């Protein structure tokens, strides 16, 4: 009986060590693949920084109020006073200012200060850039 127990013990020990060995082989095998010099099959066309900039631009456009502000500014080619923008909406001045700040941060609009008032205008090159971003995704 002692011999049988020893045999079982030996067999159990071998299978346990073989099991742990196969687990180690699988783990080292998976890490081995990551260190191999094989590149990914598909590579994004955009860098991380480009994607962040384009996302900021598209996020600024992805709001009905901001689109309406851009429409208003585009319609009246020159500079539109912030007071006139506020007057054109049912929103309060701080909300309009918030939307204008997002549009400015995205580079879609800019403003000039004249006295106490800020006059906003559309930056056409930024709208062209937005068009190019969307075209680049579609093509």
């Amino acid at each position: 009986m002692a011999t049988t127990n020893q045999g079982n013990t030996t067999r159990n020990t071998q299978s346990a060590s073989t099991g742990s060995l196969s687990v180690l082989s699988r783990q080292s095998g998976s890490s081995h693949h990551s260190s191999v010099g094989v590149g990914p099959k598909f590579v994004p066309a955009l860098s991380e920084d480009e994607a962040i900039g384009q996302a900021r631009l598209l996020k600024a456009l992805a709001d009905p109020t901001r689109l309406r502000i851009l429409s208003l500014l585009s319609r009246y080619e020159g500079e539109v006073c912030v007071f006139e923008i506020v007057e054109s909406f049912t929103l309060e001045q701080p909300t309009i200012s918030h939307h204008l700040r997002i549009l400015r941060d995205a580079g879609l609009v800019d403003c000039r200060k004249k006295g106490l008032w800020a006059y906003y205008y559309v930056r056409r090159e930024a709208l062209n850039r937005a068009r190019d971003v969307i075209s680049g995704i579609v093509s």
Side-chain angles (χ1 to χ4, degrees):
M1 233 186 198
T3 309
T4 307
N5 285 342
Q6 279 182 333
N8 286 343
T9 305
T10 305
R11 196 169 348 148
N12 288 342
T13 305
Q14 286 174 346
S15 63
S17 66
T18 305
S20 64
L21 181 60
S22 64
V23 168
L24 290 174
S25 298
R26 280 189 298 234
Q27 289 174 348
S28 66
S30 64
S31 66
H32 179 66
H33 276 291
S34 64
S35 64
V36 174
V38 178
K41 184 175 180 179
F42 300 104
V43 178
L46 296 174
S47 72
E48 183 80 19
D49 290 340
E50 290 170 328
I52 289 169
Q54 290 181 10
R56 177 182 293 144
L57 179 68
L58 295 176
K59 281 181 187 180
L61 291 170
D63 182 87
T65 301
R66 291 193 285 272
L67 285 174
R68 290 182 67 215
I69 291 171
L70 282 172
S71 172
L72 175 87
L73 294 175
S74 292
R75 186 172 182 194
Y76 300 98
E77 281 293 317
E79 299 171 342
V80 180
C81 180
V82 70
F83 174 79
E84 295 167 321
I85 298 171
V86 171
E87 203 173 63
S88 302
F89 290 86
T90 57
L91 301 169
E92 298 295 322
Q93 182 273 325
T95 304
I96 296 295
S97 291
H98 166 76
H99 287 295
L100 287 168
R101 183 186 51 79
I102 291 171
L103 290 169
R104 280 187 71 190
D105 289 348
L108 291 164
V109 301
D110 207 351
C111 71
R112 286 189 182 87
K113 291 280 216 164
K114 292 181 184 174
L116 297 175
W117 299 105
Y119 291 83
Y120 284 84
Y121 58 94
V122 174
R123 296 186 63 213
R124 297 275 175 215
E125 68 277 2
L127 287 178
N128 290 336
R129 189 168 37 100
R131 183 192 62 221
D132 294 344
V133 166
I134 293 168
S135 294
I137 293 169
V138 174
S139 15

